[in-house]
Amino acid sequence: DGGITQSPKYLFRKEGQNVTLSCEQNLNHDAMYWYRQDPGQGLRLIYYSQIVNDFQKGDIAEGYSVSREKKESFPLTVTSAQKNPTAFYLCASSTTGGESPLHFGNGTRLTVT
Amino acid sequence: GENVEQHPSTLSVQEGDSAVIKCTYSDSASNYFPWYKQELGKRPQLIIDIRSNVGEKKDQRIAVTLNKTAKHFSLHITETQPEDSAVYFCAGSNYQLIWGAGTKLIIKP
């Protein structure tokens, strides 16, 4: 949808398990981002990548990991070290850095019990 | 560090009236200010943005104003309709986006 595909839409995991969220874009955008959104809250940046094989921590990177092996893909792994992983996760991309519009995926709602 | 404050957190207006949401930013080097609309359970979508060399921008019922001296910018929605009900986020950017906390806009019939 809109050139960014996140899968799956809903994900359920048991506590202690790592889980990987998929994000693929066909917009030929250089920059990609992962945000976390909790109910009634704003967007918090987890990780971002401006170019292939390079990424930086955002404000809440602890307990998460990413990779950027291909321009179109930016998967997010939620590790067992993340204390409160249940949330709505949004992937986004943009042509360049923070001064161009973000295109968001439809999000993945992760529930860990 | 950089900060963007957004007010109010909730705004309830009568259908047909205008709605105004305000944001202030701390980084004087910020030069890009987008607004996103997020309907319940859906992804945020850009509705309008403004750059620092412009003081005002309009798109049909939506307008954004920017006051660089005072470091604040506002979203104006005129003739509000039920489909305007959503959460609106402002952001400011000097290379990296800093987000406001969001405003829940409720349009009363």
Side-chain angles (χ1 to χ4, degrees), chain B residues 41-100:
Chain B
K42 297 190 176 180
R43 62 191 170 110
Q45 291 188 290
L46 179 74
I47 55 171
I48 196 166
D49 57 8
I50 191 168
R51 298 190 185 272
S52 58
N53 58 345
V54 176
E56 183 177 5
K57 184 176 180 180
K58 288 182 180 180
D59 183 3
Q60 299 182 336
R61 297 186 296 110
I62 294 173
V64 57
T65 58
L66 172 64
N67 184 326
K68 285 214 73 178
T69 303
K71 291 193 284 188
H72 68 71
F73 56 111
S74 300
L75 177 71
H76 305 254
I77 305 174
T78 58
E79 301 172 9
T80 52
Q81 300 169 3
E83 53 265 37
D84 294 329
S85 293
V87 177
Y88 291 81
F89 293 98
C90 66
S93 177
N94 172 26
Y95 183 71
Q96 192 62 257
L97 270 178
I98 306 297
W99 293 84

Side-chain angles (χ1 to χ4, degrees), chain B residues 19-30:
Chain B
V20 180
I21 303 170
K22 300 180 180 181
C23 289
T24 60
Y25 60 98
S26 59
D27 183 2
S28 57
S30 295

Side-chain angles (χ1 to χ4, degrees), chain A residues 11-21 63-65 76-86 89 110-113:
Chain A
L11 192 54
F12 299 88
R13 280 294 182 270
K14 294 292 186 183
E15 195 174 313
Q17 294 178 332
N18 291 355
V19 60
T20 297
L21 281 58
Y64 300 97
S65 65
L76 173 74
T77 296
V78 184
T79 75
S80 57
Q82 168 52 232
K83 299 304 179 188
N84 297 294
T86 295
Y89 291 88
L110 173 65
T111 302
V112 177
T113 58

